[in-house]
Amino acid sequence: MSIEIKNIKKRFGDFTAIDGISLHVPAGELVALLGPSGSGKTSLLRIIAGLELPDEGTVLFEGEDATLRRARDRGVGFVFQHYALFRHLTVFENVAFGLRVRKAGRPSESEIAKRVNGLLDLVQLAPLARRYPSQLSGGQRQRVALARALAVEPKVLLLDEPFGSLDATVRLELRRFLRRLHDEIRVTSVFVTHDQEEALEVADRIVVINRGRVEQVGSPEEVFDHPATPFVMSFLGHTNIFHGRIEGGKARLGSLTVDAPELSDASAVSGFVRPHELEISRTNGKPGGVWTTLVHANPAGALVKLDLSDSEGRPLQAVVSRDFFRLLEVRAGEALYVRPRSVRIFAATSSEEPLSFLGEAI
Amino acid sequence: MSLSHQAVHVFPLPVSRAGAESSAVRRVLVFVAVSFVALFVAVPVAAVFAEGLRRGAGAYFAALRQPETLSALWLTGVTTVSAVLANLLFGLAAAWAVSKFAFRGKNLLLTLMDLPLAVSPVVAGLVFVLLYGKQGWFGPILSEHGLKVIFAPPGIILATIFVTFPLVVRELVPVMEACGTEQEEAALLLGATGWQVFWRVTLPNVKWGIVYGVILCSARAMGEFGAVSVVSGHIRGVTNTLPLHVEILYNEYQFQAAFAAASVLTILSLLAVASRHVAEWRAKSAETSRKDR
Amino acid sequence: MGLTLGYLAFIVILPLSALVLKAAAMGPAAFAAAATSPRVMASYSLSLKTAVLAALVNGVFGFVVAWVLVRYPFPGKKVVDALVDLPLALPTAVAGIVLTTLYAPGGWAGKALLALGVHVAFAPAGIVVALVFVGIPFVVRSVQPVLENLEADVEEAAASLGADRLQIFLRVVLPSLLPAWLTGLALAFARGLGEYGSVVFIAGNLPMKTEIAPLLIMTKLDQYDYEGATAIAVVLLAVAVTFLLFINGLQRLSSRRGAAV
């Protein structure tokens, strides 16, 4: 089932949670709502579920207005951040709940058992059917919550920070599990997260939300490689920021100068460069780079993070492969030539105007 | 009156607490605490039974079999059941409204609900005399229709409901608040109707709160004296509750009979306290054993 | 919601406003005369003094009981813990007659105390004894949960910073227990001020000497002096409401403190 959201607004007292969001989720997609806490992403999810009413705007399911439809009539499966499992019911009964409360067309006892056991197999919890939620680990509870939401065969699956309260390894495992599960059952799914890595790994499409507005919608590659705003740029991974201005078709960003023939003169711009987009060498290679000093090299797994500092003492971060780092044979305090492969230029940070220009350094 | 049920069960702490008191200090403190409780609670309770049995078991049971004692016991039972039912129904509705919704005047409402705990029982009785008594607001209307509230069982029940009014709510509100609203939202999204959510999710979650509230409410209802004394009129065999009957016997110098009747009330209140503690202990051990498995 | 408000109005608000309106109808002069006659003033003063004294006794011993129940293991602890609740469940009339029997000149405790020259029954001291009994649960049950939730690591942190046991108690433990302790004191005091059943038997009820305010209401009612009873009741109600607001304030303070840690 597709979801269409049109110009939704929601205020809580003086706080504007959602400031006019429109969004289309095609049937069968797995979409991530990504944003910092307080950005309005959870409120949006709760409005889709019917747990909150929007002040303005409409929600359409499969083209039909569902804005005022009651939560229990929406056919929505919801997985809560803290699972919200019924503490007084066993795992089996938690999953069976949605079937048992059905007024019309309640399945027979044997059918309920079949359905529930099937779902427990799907989430690999069949041996724990008789346990109570308090006897389960966080990851297990999360999977019960998922099975419970799926038991009513929802047309839409909504997940609020589904991995938020799990430890790192379980998180990783469950992320892949959710991706596989979605590939299997193909139900339209929306999940909320503040973790960009999670969104990039799991989602078909990412909706980046900030201060109650959509910053960008796109595939993981699109939002990561072609961020539409400085916010998206800096929220999805670390960036180096250079401040400066545009003069006669050139961006002068401190020690960097970037060709920007399409941009008219502007007094304040910022250039963004990701750490892995910095070319590092020990000799002065192509023009357009700067000399820096290595402050500290921090090996993190297959990559090495380099803390650098330019001639004026401004910090820079670069990432290189371990092998490449070995070839460099560099030690702290020694000089490195750094040249950005590409720079994204936006009108000075915090401004909403995206100049969005990808310039090659000169 | 913060008798929150979490309060009572106590886990012994490891002795290795940082800078813990010396064992001499501990012993003195334990001695002081135990003596205080023994002197002010245990001894009086024991004395009730000692006085009641002073002339032997025969006299004890003879005193209990007096028709007036039995009818007082009956009225106390009826009053207690009515008050508990009324306050349980109200308590559920009120606790639900207070803990699941945010609205203006919520604090005022909570304070108003606590008021009967702070009001002197005699004042509680008086207000009902002023309302329903002969010279009261509704007195003339009531007597026109031949209804009697004051100096009759309805007045006793009303005054008892007033005095025990907050006891169930106070137990339920914290438990309901602690449960939050997520489980109910989950049930709604799974297709449950409002009633189904209430019966299948809300109620089971506050089960122990209800048990504690009902126990506390029953104990207070059966023992209420001041308020009931004002509205009862002390008509023997008709409007005498057991506590009032105890007073009458005592004032007539029938000490042994008074203590025999008092011992029934004492046994009931001991049962109430014990069942509450046992329930608490079981609720807690059920919780921990689930976690341990 | 509607049910809640309706029930609340019927059981609590309507009766209490009847009381206030009745007092208002008396007119200020008659009200003042009824509420401040010498016999009534003496009863306020007695109620106030005995309630304060009983609350203080409970403040000290209740604190020790709560402390011991939370901190130290000892045999019979569960029984002591349960007994603390008993004064709430035991009918006040039962407490009244048994305490009177114990402390009367011929009773077990009364005899011993009389030998020391102390009159308890039929004297103000007897009222204090009864009020101590009914007030026991309040301080214990207010302090106990807060003490239980007091994290051991806070005290350990203080110890690691070089504080000795007494300093830890005075500077760390006591301040965090203060709102709860005050709440317990206030509750015990409020209960003592309005208490009737356990006191009437032991007090002796001599006008101007051992006649508490709630008893005086009762006496006036027996004489069909509804106005006199109402005037005293309004004064007691006003004090009760003030205390309730005070207690609610304290509890909000203590829960805010709890949340801030």
Side-chain angles (χ1 to χ4, degrees), chain B residues 3-210:
Chain B
L3 281 178
S4 58
H5 67 277
Q6 311 93 299
V8 185
H9 190 82
V10 180
F11 296 104
L13 283 162
V15 186
S16 64
R17 214 178 162 100
E21 297 78 23
S22 68
S23 69
V25 174
R26 285 168 175 240
R27 257 180 236 147
V28 170
L29 287 176
V30 170
F31 177 77
V32 169
V34 172
S35 323
F36 178 71
V37 174
L39 196 67
F40 275 91
V41 186
V43 168
V45 167
V48 171
F49 293 100
E51 292 290 329
L53 289 164
R54 177 168 265 189
R55 291 195 208 137
Y60 177 81
F61 287 110
L64 291 185
R65 274 198 301 270
Q66 284 176 14
E68 280 156 13
T69 308
L70 289 176
S71 76
L73 185 61
W74 169 248
L75 182 58
T76 291
V78 171
T79 307
T80 305
V81 170
S82 320
V84 168
L85 278 182
N87 285 331
L88 177 61
L89 283 181
F90 160 78
L92 278 170
W96 191 70
V98 165
S99 54
K100 307 288 178 185
F101 300 103
F103 53 88
R104 260 164 196 249
K106 187 161 158 174
N107 275 328
L108 179 72
L109 188 68
L110 282 170
T111 306
L112 277 175
M113 290 199 293
D114 275 353
L115 208 49
L117 283 185
V119 172
S120 169
V122 176
V123 176
L126 171 66
V127 295
F128 286 99
V129 172
L130 292 180
L131 266 187
Y132 303 108
K134 249 186 202 154
Q135 275 104 38
W137 285 8
F138 305 125
I141 301 175
L142 286 170
S143 57
E144 253 172 53
H145 293 83
L147 294 173
K148 217 168 168 210
V149 173
I150 298 305
F151 305 142
I156 294 176
I157 293 174
L158 271 178
T160 306
I161 291 178
F162 178 93
V163 173
T164 56
F165 183 85
L167 297 177
V168 180
V169 190
R170 291 189 63 104
E171 290 292 328
L172 285 181
V173 169
V175 189
M176 278 201 188
E177 275 180 350
C179 283
T181 51
E182 275 203 345
Q183 288 184 49
E184 275 137 25
E185 286 178 349
L188 270 181
L189 287 166
L190 291 167
T193 61
W195 272 112
Q196 284 176 322
V197 174
F198 182 74
W199 282 109
R200 289 168 177 258
V201 179
T202 312
L203 218 50
N205 270 326
V206 299
K207 178 170 68 180
W208 292 114
I210 293 176

Side-chain angles (χ1 to χ4, degrees), chain A residues 92-104:
Chain A
F92 183 95
E93 286 302 325
N94 260 283
V95 179
F97 186 92
L99 302 172
R100 288 200 195 285
V101 296
R102 215 171 260 183
K103 280 275 149 84

Side-chain angles (χ1 to χ4, degrees), chain B residues 1-4 6-13 15-21 25-26 29-30 32-34 36-37 39-48 50-51 54 83 86-87 89-90 93-94 97 101 103 107 109-123 126-132 135 137-138 151 158 161-162 165 170 216 219-220 222-226 229-230 234 243 246-247 250-251 258-259 262-263 265-266 269-270 272-274 276-277 281, chain C residues 1 3-5 7-8 10-19 21-22 57-58 61-62 64-65 67-74 77-78 80-94 96-103 108 128-129 132-133 136-138 141-142 144-145 148 150-153 155-156 159 165 168 183 187 190-191 193-198 200-201 214-215 217-218 221 224 226 229-230 232-234 236-237 240-241 244-245 247-248 251-252:
Chain B
M1 202 183 290
S2 29
L3 281 178
S4 58
Q6 311 93 299
V8 185
H9 190 82
V10 180
F11 296 104
L13 283 162
V15 186
S16 64
R17 214 178 162 100
E21 297 78 23
V25 174
R26 285 168 175 240
L29 287 176
V30 170
V32 169
V34 172
F36 178 71
V37 174
L39 196 67
F40 275 91
V41 186
V43 168
V45 167
V48 171
E51 292 290 329
R54 177 168 265 189
N87 285 331
L89 283 181
F90 160 78
F101 300 103
F103 53 88
N107 275 328
L109 188 68
L110 282 170
T111 306
L112 277 175
M113 290 199 293
D114 275 353
L115 208 49
L117 283 185
V119 172
S120 169
V122 176
V123 176
L126 171 66
V127 295
F128 286 99
V129 172
L130 292 180
L131 266 187
Y132 303 108
Q135 275 104 38
W137 285 8
F138 305 125
F151 305 142
L158 271 178
I161 291 178
F162 178 93
F165 183 85
R170 291 189 63 104
L216 202 60
R220 278 297 294 274
M222 71 174 192
E224 181 46 40
F225 178 71
S229 177
V230 176
H234 305 275
V246 168
E247 182 199 19
Y250 185 84
N251 286 342
F259 278 105
S263 72
L265 289 166
T266 308
S269 54
L270 282 172
V273 170
R276 188 185 154 105
H277 280 257
W281 176 71
Chain C
M1 209 48 236
L3 173 74
T4 309
L5 286 178
Y7 187 77
L8 183 71
F10 179 66
I11 296 292
V12 179
I13 300 172
L14 178 74
L16 290 179
S17 36
L19 179 74
L21 288 175
K22 173 92 179 169
V57 171
N58 273 321
F61 289 99
V64 175
V65 172
W67 180 270
V68 164
L69 284 177
V70 174
R71 292 289 166 102
Y72 308 144
F74 61 90
K77 178 158 149 169
K78 275 192 175 156
V80 172
D81 193 21
L83 279 178
V84 167
D85 277 342
L86 201 66
L88 274 187
L90 192 74
T92 50
V94 176
I97 63 169
V98 77
L99 289 174
T100 312
T101 307
L102 282 177
Y103 287 94
W108 305 343
V128 176
V129 167
V132 168
F133 173 83
I136 287 173
F138 297 102
R141 293 296 184 240
S142 299
Q144 204 176 7
E148 264 170 33
L150 205 66
E151 311 274 332
D153 56 6
E155 283 170 66
E156 284 165 2
R165 191 63 203 154
I168 293 174
T183 304
L187 284 167
R191 174 74 199 261
L193 206 56
E195 179 54 25
Y196 171 73
S198 58
V200 280
F201 298 98
L215 177 75
I217 297 180
M218 205 66 150
L221 273 178
Y224 300 101
Y226 288 105
T230 302
I232 304 170
V234 165
L236 286 187
L237 180 67
V241 170
L244 195 62
L245 294 175
I247 292 163
N248 281 3
Q251 279 174 341
R252 220 165 297 149

Side-chain angles (χ1 to χ4, degrees), chain A residues 3-319:
Chain A
I3 308 170
E4 182 86 43
I5 289 157
K6 283 186 183 163
N7 196 29
I8 292 281
K9 289 188 181 168
K10 178 75 185 176
R11 301 172 61 82
F12 294 103
D14 291 336
F15 176 71
T16 304
I18 302 178
D19 192 12
I21 286 186
S22 297
L23 191 65
H24 177 70
V25 181
E29 254 194 14
L30 176 53
V31 171
L33 302 181
L34 174 66
S37 56
S39 59
K41 54 195 193 313
T42 294
S43 300
L44 184 61
L45 197 75
R46 289 173 63 86
I47 286 173
I48 298 175
L51 293 173
E52 306 278 357
L53 279 179
D55 298 333
E56 273 178 57
T58 46
V59 179
L60 298 122
F61 283 175
E62 205 70 61
E64 261 181 68
D65 190 347
T67 317
L68 298 176
R69 206 179 284 173
R70 281 186 301 189
R72 75 175 129 99
D73 299 329
R74 290 194 184 207
V76 157
F78 199 102
V79 176
F80 289 81
Q81 184 179 1
H82 303 291
Y83 326 124
L85 295 180
F86 306 127
R87 290 182 305 181
H88 61 290
L89 298 178
T90 59
V91 167
F92 183 95
E93 286 302 325
N94 260 283
V95 179
F97 186 92
L99 302 172
R100 288 200 195 285
V101 296
R102 215 171 260 183
K103 280 275 149 84
R106 176 172 21 210
S108 69
E109 204 52 43
S110 62
E111 204 168 316
I112 290 178
K114 211 175 107 193
R115 283 263 285 282
V116 172
N117 288 326
L119 280 163
L120 289 179
D121 280 336
L122 184 70
V123 296
Q124 298 152 13
L125 284 176
L128 305 182
R130 304 265 152 251
R131 295 228 183 152
Y132 284 91
S134 56
Q135 296 167 256
L136 303 180
S137 71
Q140 289 167 338
R141 286 180 207 183
Q142 183 61 282
R143 281 181 281 152
V144 176
L146 203 56
R148 183 178 69 178
L150 291 174
V152 290
E153 293 176 336
K155 285 167 265 165
V156 172
L157 185 61
L158 306 174
L159 306 101
D160 185 9
E161 295 275 4
F163 316 113
S165 21
L166 300 171
D167 37 329
T169 46
V170 185
R171 243 176 136 119
L172 224 59
E173 190 186 303
L174 263 178
R175 253 190 231 169
R176 309 231 157 98
F177 175 79
L178 179 66
R179 185 64 246 185
R180 277 203 313 275
L181 188 75
H182 184 263
D183 290 342
E184 218 168 292
I185 58 178
R186 283 274 148 214
V187 59
T188 313
S189 306
V190 180
F191 76 100
V192 155
T193 180
H194 63 266
D195 181 342
Q196 38 99 11
E197 229 179 274
E198 204 166 283
L200 291 171
E201 185 177 327
V202 178
D204 295 321
R205 282 205 307 153
I206 296 177
V207 179
V208 185
I209 295 179
N210 184 34
R211 295 183 187 181
R213 290 168 162 277
V214 173
E215 295 265 339
Q216 189 176 5
V217 182
S219 69
E221 296 75 33
E222 274 167 358
V223 291
F224 190 78
D225 293 335
H226 306 288
T229 64
F231 174 80
V232 178
M233 180 80 198
S234 43
F235 195 69
L236 277 96
H238 195 84
T239 50
N240 294 302
I241 304 177
F242 302 87
H243 300 288
R245 59 207 144 77
I246 308 267
E247 269 175 14
K250 285 190 169 64
R252 301 192 183 281
L253 305 164
S255 38
L256 281 180
T257 305
V258 181
D259 237 348
E262 293 151 49
L263 296 181
S264 47
D265 286 8
S267 51
V269 295
S270 303
F272 290 75
V273 183
R274 292 219 188 275
H276 70 272
E277 290 173 330
L278 286 172
E279 271 175 23
I280 311 282
S281 61
R282 300 210 61 169
T283 52
N284 193 338
K286 292 186 206 160
V290 283
W291 279 102
T292 62
T293 314
L294 178 64
V295 178
H296 180 69
N298 182 19
L303 299 172
V304 180
K305 287 183 186 161
L306 305 180
D307 286 332
L308 307 164
S309 130
D310 73 1
S311 56
E312 283 160 53
R314 279 184 297 242
L316 275 175
Q317 256 200 13
V319 174

Side-chain angles (χ1 to χ4, degrees), chain B residues 2 4 6-7 17, chain C residues 63 66 70-71 139-152 155 172-181 183 250-251 254-255 257-258:
Chain B
S2 29
S4 58
Q6 311 93 299
R17 214 178 162 100
Chain C
F63 188 93
V70 174
R71 292 289 166 102
V139 174
V140 180
R141 293 296 184 240
S142 299
V143 172
Q144 204 176 7
V146 184
L147 194 55
E148 264 170 33
N149 288 333
L150 205 66
E151 311 274 332
E155 283 170 66
V172 179
V173 179
L174 215 52
S176 33
L177 293 179
L178 196 63
W181 185 72
T183 304
L250 274 177
Q251 279 174 341
S254 85
S255 68
R257 280 216 188 156

